[in-house]
Amino acid sequence: AQSVTQLDSQVPVFEEAPVELRCNYSSSVSVYLFWYVQYPNQGLQLLLKYLSGSTLVKGINGFEAEFNKSQTSFHLRKPSVHISDTAEYFCAVSEGRGGGSNYKLTFGKGTLLTVNP
Amino acid sequence: NAGVTQTPKFHILKTGQSMTLQCAQDMNHGYLSWYRQDPGMGLRRIHYSVAAGITDKGEVPDGYNVSRSNTEDFPLRLESAAPSQTSVYFCASSYSLKVAKMSTDTQYFGPGTRLTVL
């Protein structure tokens, strides 16, 4: 069974500082990895995804993530954060394209990023 | 396109009452699903459907029913609400092989319904 661990429940940073949000997964098969962002009182929006190919994936709003198969990690990074990046970030994993036959997407518990002035 | 829409945005129920949460999408997506989001728990899938007329249970289906009579709509029914069902509910959609002969990996989420059961 697949699972996702987000190692930090909260990450406070100052504006313009770099940030890394950590995500580790476990699965017995090849996986596809995602980061979603949830702004306050809104739904989830896809930031970026890794399906195959280059292990460094670039997403929206200047975020990027690196897939590391040996360490089963998919950490999210941004070199300089803004106040507007304050949100909750969810790492998710699926087994197979479209989540396999049942489109299953397993989410981590989320990391609340708070950017302070 | 409006994308994925959900109604209502907020609702308060009393224990034992029934309610239907509405979800609609206008992207011709075959796959629709319901998730609940609870603090410190992430999102957990309740039920899903890969095409009209086909539904299946997710990871936390107890206390919920769904139906799928057409491509656009996927209502979630609580027959007898309990305080444990207090949560934020999200509907999500994507293409499915059964409808579009293709699948994508991006699931599109609605804005959510915040439900309180007293």
Side-chain angles (χ1 to χ4, degrees), chain A residues 32 34 36 38 41-44 46 49 51 88 90 94 96-99 101-105 107-109, chain B residues 31 35 37 40-43 45 48 50 59 90 94-98 103-107 109-111 114:
Chain A
Y32 301 90
F34 308 81
Y36 281 85
Q38 183 180 31
N41 299 314
Q42 294 187 26
L44 278 73
L46 182 69
K49 61 185 177 184
L51 304 180
E88 190 153 24
F90 291 94
S94 71
R97 294 303 299 269
S101 62
N102 67 357
Y103 298 82
K104 182 176 181 180
L105 198 60
F107 285 87
K109 294 182 179 181
Chain B
Y31 173 79
Y35 290 88
Q37 181 181 29
M41 301 288 289
L43 280 82
R45 191 170 60 168
Y48 65 97
V50 298
E59 289 68 61
F90 290 100
S94 76
Y95 285 107
S96 80
L97 286 168
K98 283 194 176 292
S103 68
T104 69
D105 304 275
T106 300
Q107 293 191 18
F109 285 79
R114 187 174 296 273

Side-chain angles (χ1 to χ4, degrees), chain A residues 13-78:
Chain A
V13 295
F14 288 108
E15 194 172 18
E16 298 183 5
V19 70
E20 178 180 80
L21 306 184
R22 296 180 294 168
C23 173
N24 286 88
Y25 69 91
S26 66
S27 175
S28 57
V29 299
S30 295
V31 295
Y32 301 90
L33 296 155
F34 308 81
W35 276 99
Y36 281 85
V37 60
Q38 183 180 31
Y39 298 105
N41 299 314
Q42 294 187 26
L44 278 73
Q45 177 183 1
L46 182 69
L47 262 183
L48 49 79
K49 61 185 177 184
Y50 171 78
L51 304 180
S52 64
S54 173
T55 57
L56 183 63
V57 180
K58 295 189 183 296
I60 61 172
N61 300 339
F63 283 93
E64 64 181 30
E66 187 157 20
F67 171 57
N68 188 319
K69 188 175 182 179
S70 63
Q71 297 186 3
T72 61
S73 67
F74 191 54
H75 301 332
L76 181 70
R77 301 185 183 99
K78 186 170 182 177

